[in-house]
Amino acid sequence: MRYSNLKITLSEVGMPRSIKLSDVAQHAGVSVPTVSRVLRGVPNVAAELRERVQHSVKELGYQPNRLAKSLREHRTGIIGYLSAGNIATFHHILGQGIQNAALDHGYAVITGHGSTLEREMTYAKIFESYQVDGLIITPSSNSDPYIEELAQHIPTIEVDRTFGAYSRHTVLLDNYTALGDAVDHLTELGHHSIGLIYGNAPVSTEVERKQGFLERMAHHGLDVHPDWLISDEYSEEGGVRATHHLLDSGLHVSAVIVTTNEMLAGVVQALRSRNLSIPHDLSLIGMDDTRWARMMEPPLTVIAQPAYEMGYEACRLMIRSLEKAEFDDATPVVHRLPARLMVRSSTGPPKEVDLMVQ
Amino acid sequence: MRYSNLKITLSEVGMPRSIKLSDVAQHAGVSVPTVSRVLRGVPNVAAELRERVQHSVKELGYQPNRLAKSLREHRTGIIGYLSAGNIATFHHILGQGIQNAALDHGYAVITGHGSTLEREMTYAKIFESYQVDGLIITPSSNSDPYIEELAQHIPTIEVDRTFGAYSRHTVLLDNYTALGDAVDHLTELGHHSIGLIYGNAPVSTEVERKQGFLERMAHHGLDVHPDWLISDEYSEEGGVRATHHLLDSGLHVSAVIVTTNEMLAGVVQALRSRNLSIPHDLSLIGMDDTRWARMMEPPLTVIAQPAYEMGYEACRLMIRSLEKAEFDDATPVVHRLPARLMVRSSTGPPKEVDLMVQ
DNA sequence: TTGTAAGCGTTATCAG
DNA sequence: CTGATAACGCTTACAA
C-alpha cells in the first residue's frame, strides 16, 4: 500500500493522521506543555501526571516531530559531511566513523561527496538550507571561498585534509611520522636511494607526506635527488605514469614509497609490465591497508590509516563543541592520529646489500 | 570564530541574525506571502513586484529555511537510506548512486548502515522523527517487522535485496541471468562439475543466485551433487572454510563460482594455501568487479554488478513515486538490472579437456 | 506544579 | 493581484 492511498484511506475512515503532542495531552488529560516537559525530562512535574503521560505516549505510539522541535529550538541534530575525497575505500570508512559517532550521540548525518567544486557548492547550499548544526569537511584543495564563508556561520571542523590555517578543530593523520616510519623501515633494510610517488593535487595530505619523507631522509643523512620525487594524477593511470617516469630517469632507486592507494595500484601494474620483481628489484611501500594490498602477490607493506577512528573522532569533536560552549571557545584542537606501518613482503633488502653480503 | 561567539556578537551589534522572508518583504516593500509566491514561482504576481522581490532576495542573500517549509508542507525532501549491507565496496557505491540521484533531483539523503537489528531500528526511528519523505532499504534478512510497519506509513522501496513480497518498488540485480551466464561460460570451456560457494544469510540475493545456478546447470543437463553447494558465513573466513569443505568432500569439481566478494577473497586464500593453481587446477568465478579482483594474479573472472546504477535507479524510482501520484498507485515495479560477466584469466578449460585435446 | 499564550519561518486560505 | 490571518507541531516565557 502506498502512502497516498493510505492517507486517503485514513481520512476516509476518520482515523487520526499522525499522533502529535496534543493527542497525547488529550489522551492523558493534561496540557500540551506538560507532555512536552515529561518527554524532555524537565524535573518539576508531579509523579502521577508523569506516569499518565508516559502511559499515553506508549499507548498511542507517539513519535516526536523533529521538524517542529528543530524550528523552535534552532537546532536540528543534523551534521553535514562534505567529502571532497574520491570514492575510495578510505573515505567511505571515514564516513562510516562519522555516521556511527553521530548515531551514538543522537545526531544524523547528511553526506555529500563533492568531486567537483560545483557539486561541493550545491551540497553546501543544501546543508545550509537544512539548517545543519555543524559541518565536517574534507577539503578538495587548499582553499575554497564558499566553504570558508559557510564556516563563518556554521561550526565547521576539518578531517583528513586541512586548509592549513588551523583555525578550526581538525582531525588528521600524523602524516609526518607515518612517512618517517616508512623511511626508517627502508633504511633499516639498507636502502639509501628511495623514490617518492605522490599525488599532484594541492591538498594538505600530499604536502605533509612529502615533507615527512624529506625530513626523515635528511635526518638519516640521505640525499634525495629531485628526480626521485614524482608527482602525478591521483589515479591508477597517474601511478603508472609516475613509475615509468621514475624508472626512465636513469637514476637508480632501490625502493619507492607511494602516498596514495589509487596510485599504488598503478605503480604495481607498471612494475609488472616492466617485469620487475617486488621486493627483489624494488622495495615498495604503499598507502592504506586495503584488501587488495593484502591479497597481492607479494602482500604489500603499507601505511595503514585509522580511517574509521578519524571519522569517529572528528564527529565526536564536532558534537562536543556543539554541546559544550566552553570547549567551543577554547583554542582549536588539532588532533593527529597515528598511522601504523604494516610490514609485509613487498619490502626487503636492496640488491646491492645482497651482493655485499654474499 | 565559532557560532556561539558569532551569535553573541551579532546580537550585541544589533545585526539581524538570519535573513527570513519577512526581512525580504520589508526590504522590497511587499507582504510576506508575496515574497513566498515569487520564490515559488506562483504565476499571478505583478512583474514589477516580482522584480523588486528578486532584487531584495539577492541583495540580502536570503536562504530559505527548509525546516519551516517542511513543517508547513508536510514534506522534507529528505530520503532515508537504510543499508543493512556490510561496509563492502558494493554497498558504498550503491549508496553513492542513491546520493547522486537525490542531489540531482533536489533531495538529500540520511544514510544509516545497520549491521544489527537494533541499529536498524534505531535508524528507522531517526528517519521517522526526521519526517523523511521516503525510505530506501537493503534488508538484512527476509523479514523485519519493524521495517514492515514503518513501510506502512512511509513510501518504501527495496534495493539490492528484497523481502520477497514484491509489494513495493524494487531494484535488484538480475541474479538468475548473472549466475546463468557464469555457468554458460564454464560449460563452454568444458566444465561439467561446478561448485557453488555462497553466503548462508537468509537474504534474497543468495537465494536467487543459488537458484539461477541450479536452473542453468539443469538446463545444460548437468547434475549438481548436493556437496557441491557450500554455504558459509558472509566473510573471508567463511570463504576459506567453504573452500576446504568443498575440496575435502572427496568429490571432484573443476570450477567454482563464489557469490560474494568477501567470501571470494577467502576462497583465493584457501586455494593458495593448498597450492592449487588458478585456473589450471580449478577455474574460479567471483562476484563484484573490485580492484583487488583485477589486481590479482591471475586477474579474476567476475560477475560485475552495476552498483552505482542500481542505487541511482532506486532513488530515481523513489522520487518519481513521491512526485507522481499516478505512478505511485500503479502496480509495484520490480526492476532487474543486468550483470556483466568480466572474463579474465581465472577461468580456463578443465584439466580433463586438456588431456583429451592433447 | 500546571496551563495559557506566543512564537519559530514558512505556506495556504480568504477577503479585499 | 495582493495582503491579513491562521496553521504546521513543538518549546518557552509567563501567569495562575
Side-chain angles (χ1 to χ4, degrees):
Chain A
M1 194 183 295
R2 282 302 100 46
Y3 184 45
S4 51
N5 294 337
L6 190 68
K7 223 162 98 183
I8 294 166
T9 311
L10 288 175
S11 38
E12 278 172 354
V13 187
M15 256 176 82
R17 237 183 16 75
S18 180
I19 310 296
K20 46 193 182 187
L21 228 44
S22 58
D23 297 320
V24 179
Q26 193 173 13
H27 184 101
V30 297
S31 75
V32 170
T34 298
V35 180
S36 174
R37 287 181 193 115
V38 171
L39 259 39
R40 280 174 302 138
V42 174
N44 291 336
V45 180
E48 196 216 321
L49 290 196
R50 182 178 300 277
E51 274 179 31
R52 278 211 327 251
V53 168
Q54 282 162 343
H55 177 259
S56 298
V57 165
K58 288 257 177 345
E59 182 106 352
L60 299 176
Y62 169 77
Q63 286 285 82
N65 181 331
R66 290 190 83 141
L67 244 41
K69 187 182 168 76
S70 298
L71 181 61
R72 190 52 235 251
E73 286 186 324
H74 295 285
R75 60 174 295 279
T76 53
I78 302 182
I79 291 172
Y81 168 43
L82 183 53
S83 167
N86 44 25
I87 56 169
T89 305
F90 169 77
H91 291 283
H92 274 145
I93 297 182
L94 192 148
Q96 201 79 22
I98 291 180
Q99 269 176 30
N100 285 353
L103 183 64
D104 290 347
H105 295 84
Y107 284 74
V109 180
I110 296 185
T111 302
H113 283 264
S115 31
T116 69
L117 205 72
E118 190 201 355
R119 226 170 170 71
E120 220 166 284
M121 272 187 53
T122 309
Y123 266 116
K125 280 218 176 86
I126 289 179
F127 290 160
E128 202 176 0
S129 72
Y130 278 111
Q131 317 287 118
V132 297
D133 291 339
L135 222 52
I136 299 178
I137 58 168
T138 296
S140 63
S141 63
N142 44 17
S143 77
D144 181 335
Y146 196 81
I147 297 287
E148 210 56 71
E149 185 191 319
L150 206 61
Q152 300 290 313
H153 315 265
I154 305 177
T156 300
I157 113 164
E158 299 167 15
V159 66
D160 177 40
R161 311 208 269 234
T162 174
F163 288 127
Y166 302 112
S167 53
R168 296 183 269 275
H169 297 316
T170 308
V171 175
L172 304 170
L173 186 76
D174 182 353
N175 288 298
Y176 304 107
T177 308
L179 268 286
D181 289 349
V183 170
D184 285 352
H185 173 59
L186 291 173
T187 55
E188 276 164 23
L189 287 168
H191 293 272
H192 302 303
S193 331
I194 306 175
L196 183 78
I197 291 180
Y198 60 103
N200 61 8
V203 296
S204 66
T205 42
E206 297 308 303
V207 173
E208 293 180 358
R209 287 168 194 178
K210 179 179 171 189
Q211 196 179 333
F213 170 78
L214 291 174
E215 281 173 3
R216 193 62 61 95
M217 288 294 277
H219 169 84
H220 287 295
L222 296 173
D223 277 339
V224 175
H225 194 285
D227 286 356
W228 291 351
L229 299 170
I230 313 280
S231 75
D232 205 307
E233 205 182 63
Y234 229 88
S235 66
E236 222 167 285
E237 297 73 39
V240 171
R241 270 197 306 271
T243 307
H244 289 306
H245 191 160
L246 177 65
L247 299 179
D248 290 341
S249 72
L251 293 158
H252 173 78
V253 293
S254 62
V256 178
I257 302 177
V258 187
T259 65
T260 83
N261 192 264
E262 301 272 308
M263 296 181 84
L264 177 60
V267 172
V268 170
Q269 286 176 353
L271 294 179
R272 279 184 184 159
S273 74
R274 293 173 83 117
N275 283 317
L276 290 174
S277 121
I278 305 172
H280 189 248
D281 296 320
L282 198 73
S283 280
L284 183 61
I285 297 184
M287 179 62 66
D288 289 327
D289 192 15
T290 52
R291 166 165 291 149
W292 78 265
R294 284 193 300 270
M295 296 284 297
M296 281 292 307
E297 200 55 63
L300 265 35
T301 296
V302 293
I303 298 168
Q305 299 192 67
Y308 184 90
E309 288 73 16
M310 286 171 70
Y312 200 97
E313 174 63 12
C315 192
R316 213 182 52 81
L317 219 56
M318 170 95 269
I319 291 167
R320 193 157 61 142
S321 106
L322 286 174
E323 299 184 345
K324 288 276 184 189
E326 72 272 24
F327 177 79
D328 186 46
D329 287 341
T331 319
V333 170
V334 178
H335 203 146
R336 284 190 181 270
L337 272 61
R340 252 183 77 192
L341 187 70
M342 310 295 289
V343 176
R344 291 198 270 255
S345 315
S346 67
T347 44
K351 275 185 181 171
E352 295 87 345
V353 171
D354 277 340
L355 292 171
M356 277 159 50
V357 168
Q358 282 164 7
Chain B
M1 194 183 294
R2 283 304 101 43
Y3 185 45
S4 50
N5 293 336
L6 191 67
K7 222 162 96 180
I8 293 167
T9 313
L10 288 175
S11 39
E12 277 172 355
V13 188
M15 257 175 83
R17 233 180 24 72
S18 182
I19 310 298
K20 47 193 180 188
L21 229 44
S22 58
D23 297 321
V24 179
Q26 192 174 12
H27 185 101
V30 296
S31 77
V32 171
T34 298
V35 179
S36 175
R37 286 183 192 112
V38 172
L39 258 39
R40 281 174 301 141
V42 174
N44 292 337
V45 179
E48 193 216 325
L49 290 195
R50 182 178 300 279
E51 275 179 31
R52 278 215 321 255
V53 167
Q54 281 163 343
H55 177 259
S56 299
V57 165
K58 286 255 177 345
E59 182 106 351
L60 299 176
Y62 168 78
Q63 286 284 81
N65 181 332
R66 290 191 84 140
L67 243 40
K69 188 182 169 77
S70 298
L71 180 61
R72 191 53 236 246
E73 288 186 324
H74 295 285
R75 59 173 296 280
T76 53
I78 302 182
I79 290 173
Y81 168 43
L82 183 53
S83 167
N86 44 24
I87 56 170
T89 305
F90 169 77
H91 287 104
H92 275 145
I93 298 181
L94 191 149
Q96 201 80 22
I98 291 180
Q99 269 177 29
N100 286 352
L103 183 63
D104 290 347
H105 295 83
Y107 284 73
V109 180
I110 296 184
T111 303
H113 284 264
S115 31
T116 69
L117 206 72
E118 191 201 356
R119 226 172 170 69
E120 220 165 283
M121 273 187 55
T122 309
Y123 267 115
K125 282 219 175 87
I126 289 178
F127 291 160
E128 203 176 359
S129 71
Y130 278 110
Q131 316 287 118
V132 296
D133 291 339
L135 221 53
I136 299 179
I137 57 170
T138 297
S140 64
S141 63
N142 44 19
S143 76
D144 182 333
Y146 196 80
I147 297 287
E148 211 55 70
E149 191 198 309
L150 206 60
Q152 300 290 314
H153 315 263
I154 306 176
T156 300
I157 114 163
E158 300 168 14
V159 66
D160 176 40
R161 310 208 270 236
T162 173
F163 287 126
Y166 303 111
S167 52
R168 296 182 269 274
H169 298 318
T170 307
V171 175
L172 305 170
L173 185 76
D174 182 353
N175 289 297
Y176 304 108
T177 307
L179 268 286
D181 289 349
V183 169
D184 285 352
H185 173 60
L186 291 173
T187 55
E188 276 164 22
L189 287 168
H191 293 271
H192 303 301
S193 332
I194 306 175
L196 183 78
I197 290 180
Y198 60 104
N200 60 10
V203 297
S204 65
T205 42
E206 297 307 303
V207 173
E208 293 179 358
R209 286 168 195 178
K210 180 181 170 187
Q211 196 180 334
F213 170 77
L214 291 175
E215 281 172 4
R216 193 62 60 97
M217 287 295 277
H219 170 84
H220 288 294
L222 295 172
D223 277 340
V224 176
H225 194 285
D227 286 356
W228 291 351
L229 299 170
I230 314 280
S231 75
D232 206 307
E233 204 182 65
Y234 229 88
S235 65
E236 222 166 286
E237 297 74 39
V240 171
R241 269 196 307 270
T243 308
H244 290 305
H245 191 161
L246 177 64
L247 298 179
D248 291 340
S249 71
L251 293 157
H252 173 77
V253 292
S254 61
V256 179
I257 301 177
V258 187
T259 64
T260 83
N261 192 265
E262 301 271 307
M263 296 181 84
L264 177 60
V267 171
V268 169
Q269 287 175 353
L271 293 179
R272 279 183 185 160
S273 74
R274 294 173 81 117
N275 283 317
L276 291 174
S277 120
I278 305 171
H280 188 249
D281 295 319
L282 198 73
S283 280
L284 184 61
I285 297 184
M287 179 62 65
D288 289 328
D289 192 14
T290 53
R291 167 165 290 149
W292 78 264
R294 284 193 300 272
M295 297 286 295
M296 279 295 306
E297 198 57 63
L300 266 34
T301 296
V302 293
I303 298 168
Q305 298 191 70
Y308 184 90
E309 288 74 16
M310 286 171 69
Y312 200 96
E313 173 62 12
C315 192
R316 212 183 53 81
L317 218 56
M318 170 94 269
I319 291 166
R320 192 156 63 142
S321 107
L322 287 173
E323 299 183 346
K324 288 272 184 195
E326 72 269 28
F327 176 77
D328 186 47
D329 288 339
T331 320
V333 170
V334 178
H335 203 146
R336 285 190 180 270
L337 273 63
R340 252 184 77 193
L341 187 70
M342 310 296 289
V343 176
R344 290 200 271 253
S345 316
S346 67
T347 44
K351 275 184 180 172
E352 296 85 345
V353 172
D354 276 340
L355 292 172
M356 279 157 51
V357 169
Q358 280 163 8

